[in-house]
Amino acid sequence: MPRFMGLVRMEENLDTAPPKALFEAMDKHIAAATAEGHFLDGGGLFGTEDAVNFVVRKGAVTRVDGPYAEAKEIVGGWAIMQYDTVEEAIAAQEMFAQLHAEHWPEVTMVATLRQVSEGPDEPDA
């Protein structure tokens, strides 16, 4: 069964916190998806103030700590899900985005869905 990763991107340091109604709606959505065997794992992420990045450039690794003043958008949450078809996964991700639109209309967010690769493709020789 194909697996998918859902990502939520939004502005960092919003003036408003997610409303309780969104958390309640998300709890119901995740409970239903878990019971159906679609939601495998997921959660929210803290802000980027403690983020650590390793940059690989020209064979060298450099550790770079946040925050980044120029960053305007962060990944705020993630989920691993599985569905029989891509169409089912897309419909579920749209429902997830709709919950945000309904319960937190003042926020601008992007709900991204990507299919998880099941194995490495052969690299080009």
Side-chain angles (χ1 to χ4, degrees), residues 27-57:
D27 285 346
K28 289 180 184 176
H29 175 73
I30 291 170
T34 300
E36 295 168 355
H38 298 304
F39 183 86
L40 304 179
D41 198 4
L45 299 172
F46 289 110
T48 59
E49 62 273 7
D50 296 324
V52 177
N53 296 289
F54 293 94
V55 176
V56 177
R57 181 178 297 132

Side-chain angles (χ1 to χ4, degrees), residues 56-77:
V56 177
R57 181 178 297 132
K58 297 182 180 178
V61 176
T62 305
R63 179 179 167 164
V64 181
D65 297 331
Y68 305 99
E70 69 277 4
K72 297 186 184 322
E73 186 178 83
I74 63 167
V75 176

